[in-house]
Amino acid sequence: MAIPRTRPSAYPAVLSYGFRPFFLLGSLQAGAAILFWLPLFYGKLEASSVFSPVDWHVHELLFGYLAAVVTGFLLTAIPNWTGRLPVQGPPLLALALLWCAGRFVVFFSAETGWLLGAIIDCAFLLAVVAAAATEIIAGRNWRNLKVLLPVTVLLAANMTFHAEAHYQGVSDIGRRLGLGAAVVLIMIIGGRIIPSFTRNWLARERPGRLPVPFGRFDVGAITLSAAGLMAWAFLPDSAGTGAMLILGAILNTIRLARWAGDRALRDPLVLILHVAFAFVPIGLLIAGLAVFVPEKVPAVAGIHAFGVGAVACMTLAVMTRATLGHTGRELRASIGTCVIFVAIALAALFRIGAAFSPAQAMLLHISAALWVASFIGYAGLFGGMLIRPRLQVRQPRTAV
């Protein structure tokens, strides 16, 4: 018998699975954060935060939006790994409220005090790691404990971010450490789901060359790239760091080429995964080159290749696919879904372009508008699915 996954009569549908509240909250916060960001950046608005406008912007996308999506993904994937019921109902509501409290105290930390804000904000990721580890251990799914390592690094990066912003006036190591943890998560999770989903589609639609499955080459590429990103967090100007980042870019380009994305161009839900992962080697290459030729390649371009490219594109791709699949809908991209995919990819390209041409403010504004359109578009297209019960597929009647 199939393992029961939810108890839909006990609480609202939005609290039946982790992806529901956190994908909705994350997408709304991502759009709102950028709507606030540009007026803050230009001094048209003021936040009651101890963070500078740039630090608030970086923090809320890394430890607000990204933390929400990672939580939604983990709380949805872990039941599939362990066979256990998902975290749902009151415990899920408590996690969602803790995330919301973090957004409040960070924005008003000048009133609440930086330490209280840091404690409440960091408590969310600590609770997520604890909940995820408890479920994985209870299900004896030991091999997936390693997925929690980048999430734990993300928690450490958030703690570092708060401390640096308070004692130094600006974050430095914390922002790179957090972004590096996000990229490592994409290299690990993407290395599993991209060839798997591509293989499934190709086996059904276009038999022939299939993606190479996850193997030792992937482990080596991830290990070297993770070492390069860790060095980037602490020694961003070291020649050794630059060399590891560039080598990581080469290895991850080879990984992407082995996944047969060129054969899956007709399925937007698969294609966007390959496009999103392409920003990983792009970001690694730019970050590496910025070490050797900083006068020609700005480091901020690599940061936004990671953040707007790899992180935003991949999270939107995963959110869209998971929402369709886990609400009982066909895995098919609508026109609206294709529009938000194109918008977020263009937002990344314009933001990278703005980093290379800082005098062209219009590039930054276009990128921001496309970003907002992507995430508010997701909330508009998929919000109803997230708060309503899963569609029930009518089973055909059988002869007795």
Side-chain angles (χ1 to χ4, degrees):
M1 294 180 62
I3 298 173
R5 291 300 184 192
T6 59
R7 302 183 184 91
S9 61
Y11 34 73
V14 72
L15 297 178
S16 64
Y17 242 116
F19 74 93
R20 290 177 176 272
F22 283 108
F23 285 3
L24 182 59
L25 289 170
S27 61
L28 291 173
Q29 193 257 0
I34 296 302
L35 282 176
F36 274 102
W37 156 236
L38 283 180
L40 282 173
F41 180 69
Y42 289 119
K44 303 297 183 182
L45 285 178
E46 291 187 6
S48 297
S49 176
V50 296
F51 288 157
S52 68
V54 171
D55 271 353
W56 179 84
H57 163 66
V58 173
H59 183 275
E60 287 307 282
L61 293 181
L62 272 180
F63 307 110
Y65 163 70
L66 177 62
V69 176
V70 168
T71 301
F73 172 82
L74 282 177
L75 297 185
T76 304
I78 288 174
N80 293 331
W81 299 343
T82 63
R84 292 170 55 81
L85 285 170
V87 175
Q88 49 191 185
L92 182 56
L93 176 61
L95 280 176
L97 291 177
L98 184 56
W99 179 87
C100 292
R103 311 287 58 76
F104 179 85
V105 295
V106 166
F107 194 82
F108 293 103
S109 53
E111 306 296 331
T112 63
W114 81 273
L115 184 58
L116 178 62
I119 291 172
I120 294 175
D121 182 46
C122 294
F124 172 71
L125 275 174
L126 180 61
V128 170
V129 171
T134 299
E135 290 298 312
I136 291 174
I137 292 171
R140 298 182 181 276
N141 187 250
W142 311 111
R143 70 185 185 92
N144 280 313
L145 276 173
K146 61 180 176 289
V147 175
L148 297 185
L149 180 58
V151 185
T152 304
V153 174
L154 192 65
L155 167 61
N158 195 13
M159 297 167 66
T160 304
F161 195 107
H162 280 279
E164 285 185 316
H166 177 68
Y167 290 108
Q168 299 179 12
V170 64
S171 70
D172 181 35
I173 294 173
R175 62 171 68 178
R176 290 193 300 273
L177 188 61
L179 191 54
V183 174
V184 172
L185 264 176
I186 290 172
M187 288 191 289
I188 295 173
I189 302 297
R192 292 184 178 186
I193 67 173
I194 297 174
S196 175
F197 293 158
T198 306
R199 175 182 292 271
N200 292 343
W201 187 84
L202 290 175
R204 184 178 67 249
E205 303 288 341
R206 293 190 63 188
R209 177 169 56 90
L210 296 175
V212 177
F214 193 94
R216 292 182 179 178
F217 179 82
D218 299 89
V219 173
I222 292 171
T223 302
L224 185 138
S225 301
L229 288 166
M230 183 63 73
W232 179 63
F234 293 95
L235 301 168
D237 300 322
S238 166
T241 297
M244 283 194 290
L245 292 174
I246 292 172
L247 182 54
I250 294 170
L251 295 178
N252 279 284
T253 299
I254 295 172
R255 292 181 74 203
L256 183 61
R258 286 154 45 105
W259 294 339
D262 58 295
R263 302 194 64 237
L265 301 180
R266 290 191 286 114
D267 186 355
L269 291 178
V270 173
L271 177 61
I272 188 60
L273 293 169
H274 291 264
V275 171
F277 195 90
F279 282 104
V280 170
I282 290 172
L284 289 169
L285 179 62
I286 294 175
L289 291 176
V291 174
F292 297 107
V293 284
E295 68 282 358
K296 294 183 179 180
V297 181
V300 70
I303 290 173
H304 287 99
F306 287 143
V308 186
V311 172
C313 288
M314 184 63 74
T315 50
L316 260 182
V318 170
M319 288 160 62
T320 301
R321 189 180 190 94
T323 302
L324 291 173
H326 285 280
T327 60
R329 290 167 172 82
E330 185 180 8
L331 289 176
R332 187 177 299 277
S334 66
I335 294 176
T337 301
C338 294
V339 169
I340 66 173
F341 286 166
V342 171
I344 195 60
L346 288 176
L349 294 176
F350 276 106
R351 188 61 188 90
I352 295 169
F356 278 97
S357 304
Q360 302 297 322
M362 184 58 65
L363 296 177
L364 177 62
H365 300 161
I366 293 173
S367 176
L370 290 167
W371 171 286
V372 173
S374 300
F375 285 100
I376 300 302
Y378 169 84
L381 289 171
F382 295 92
M385 303 179 196
L386 294 170
I387 63 175
R388 290 194 293 266
R390 176 185 172 91
L391 292 180
Q392 298 298 318
V393 180
R394 182 176 296 178
Q395 299 295 328
R397 298 181 63 181
T398 57
V400 178

